[in-house]
Amino acid sequence: MRLRVEFTTEPFDLDETPGHALVAREVIEGAGLDAVDVGPFGNTAEGRADAVLGAVGELLRRTLGAGATRISVQLNVLADEGPAPAAGAREGDR
């Protein structure tokens, strides 16, 4: 499965990039994700589910530690790269 993560960290500062935003950029750019787009008002990245989820966990821990007071995260499923679920498999078994 592939995921897309979109996130912002706050508080915003239009005059100087906050430390938590720099940390967020470092985490996402260093996570080995695809299609990374880092901007002043929002950030996106795509990758395998395990890589994205690991990056999100690190992002939350490190940006909070760097002074973020609010982090907004949205995850979207892009596609399933794995084998098709077995016939009769329940939703929770996938």
Side-chain angles (χ1 to χ4, degrees):
M1 176 186 317
R2 288 181 54 79
L3 299 175
R4 175 184 296 129
V5 60
E6 300 176 46
F7 67 91
T8 58
T9 61
E10 296 179 40
F12 296 115
D13 185 338
L14 297 178
D15 296 325
E16 185 176 326
T17 305
H20 59 80
L22 295 174
V23 167
R25 179 182 301 162
E26 177 184 311
V27 169
I28 290 300
E29 289 180 343
L33 302 176
D34 308 325
V36 174
D37 183 18
V38 177
F41 300 109
N43 310 282
T44 61
E46 299 176 6
R48 293 180 338 275
D50 59 337
V52 170
L53 295 173
V56 168
E58 184 176 353
L59 174 91
L60 295 173
R61 285 187 294 279
R62 292 193 49 203
T63 56
L64 288 170
T69 57
R70 178 179 174 145
I71 305 164
S72 300
V73 177
Q74 180 174 324
L75 288 172
N76 293 295
V77 175
L78 298 178
D80 186 2
E81 291 182 343
R90 295 180 315 224
E91 183 69 23
D93 293 338
R94 294 181 188 175

